Amino acid sequence: MATEPTAQQRNASLIKQFKAAYRQDDLVVLEGFHAVKHALRFGARILAVISDDPAQVERLGAALAPDTAGPILSQCVHVDPETFRLATRSPIGTRIVAVASKSRYSEQDIARRADRPVVGLEDPRNMGNVGAVIRLAAACDIAGVIAIGEAIDPWHVTAVRGSAGLHYALPVIQMKTLKREDRPIVGIDPIGEQLWNTSIPANSVLVFGTERYGLSDALLSICDTRVSIPMRPGVSSLNLATAVAAVLYGGNLAESDR
Ligand SMILES: C[S@@+](CC[C@H](N)C(=O)[O-])C[C@H]1O[C@@H](n2cnc3c(N)ncnc32)[C@H](O)[C@@H]1O
């Protein structure tokens, strides 16, 4: 007859599961209440949830997201603070983490929304920026986000924390290089036509450059146009995620002719 695992055995197995999920390609650790909440809302397959303070999770859920509080708490295992610390990577103020399967998106998933812009990030270095951009793209109902570069993982745990779990709300993919296809490619670059004076086709791929050096010559060479965000003289550039916000919310994204 199978015996119930002791609390110690259960904790050891949870620590093992979370540690493995931080390394595994198909899994992601959702750090914090907002990431768990959005993942659940947008259909993530959640495999395990732990908290060392479920009373706080309950308060947060009731105050900020009553639609998800019940489902989160019903899956949540109450663990002691030491187990929580050993299972996680960094301090988590909201005292909740979950393991979920990553969504596997393809270029076709992005192509389906032919009437909406796509955001392309060339070789982004700061995973917090990547997460912030995915959150913006989800809020603006963008067709998808493409991380362009050899070794970029847009599902990096820090990016998922930065997006507050909104990776599940729209296709997020990685491509080694951006291919020229039917969508116009618009380079968002400090040297370009001013955003306020330009109409950007709504089916564009809006490409943003890497934090330090901006867009590469190779990517600029395939852009149909370049658009700049006006700045006061002396200011070199905006932060990457801030630039994406300016274009998505402030740009004139006109309907395409297609
Ligand atoms: C931190 S900036 C890169 C700065 C880099 N030194 C340059 O000159 O492009 C990162 C990206 O944000 C976008 N960006 C930032 N400020 C911008 C502006 N004023 N106009 C257009 N794009 C901007 C661009 O896509 C840029 O490649």
Side-chain angles (χ1 to χ4, degrees), residues 76-131:
C76 185
V77 177
H78 185 180
V79 295
D80 61 276
E82 184 60 1
T83 300
F84 192 82
R85 188 184 69 76
L86 290 171
T88 51
R89 186 194 61 139
S90 49
I92 294 159
T94 52
R95 313 306 305 168
I96 181 167
V97 278
V99 172
S101 302
K102 290 178 185 170
S103 290
R104 287 286 166 215
Y105 299 112
S106 67
E107 288 170 50
Q108 285 69 38
D109 295 316
I110 293 184
R112 263 180 223 123
R113 304 282 313 279
D115 58 332
R116 297 294 299 148
V118 175
V119 170
L121 301 178
E122 187 183 27
D123 215 9
R125 295 307 165 104
N126 181 313
M127 289 298 126
N129 273 339
V130 173

Side-chain angles (χ1 to χ4, degrees), residues 65-188:
D67 61 313
T68 59
I72 291 174
L73 286 163
S74 70
Q75 271 188 270
C76 185
V77 177
H78 185 180
V79 295
D80 61 276
E82 184 60 1
T83 300
F84 192 82
R85 188 184 69 76
L86 290 171
T88 51
R89 186 194 61 139
S90 49
I92 294 159
T94 52
R95 313 306 305 168
I96 181 167
V97 278
V99 172
S101 302
K102 290 178 185 170
S103 290
R104 287 286 166 215
Y105 299 112
S106 67
E107 288 170 50
Q108 285 69 38
D109 295 316
I110 293 184
R112 263 180 223 123
R113 304 282 313 279
D115 58 332
R116 297 294 299 148
V118 175
V119 170
L121 301 178
E122 187 183 27
D123 215 9
R125 295 307 165 104
N126 181 313
M127 289 298 126
N129 273 339
V130 173
V133 168
I134 290 166
R135 190 171 181 169
L136 273 164
C140 289
D141 197 21
I142 293 305
V145 175
I146 305 174
I148 308 159
E150 286 279 347
I152 306 295
D153 174 15
W155 280 85
H156 187 281
V157 65
T158 308
V160 176
R161 189 168 182 169
S163 80
L166 284 161
H167 281 61
Y168 293 95
L170 78 171
V172 175
I173 64 168
Q174 182 255 350
M175 284 171 73
K176 286 192 176 150
T177 51
L178 186 70
K179 294 176 218 138
R180 260 217 75 88
E181 283 177 356
D182 359 340
R183 292 176 185 264
I185 302 179
V186 179
I188 309 298

Side-chain angles (χ1 to χ4, degrees), residues 187-191 207-215 227-231 236-241 243-244 247:
I188 309 298
D189 188 75
I191 299 165
V207 285
F208 296 82
T210 189
E211 285 90 343
R212 184 164 300 166
Y213 299 112
L215 285 165
V227 171
S228 69
I229 305 159
M231 294 182 294
S236 315
S237 67
L238 301 177
N239 157 273
L240 171 60
V244 177
V247 175

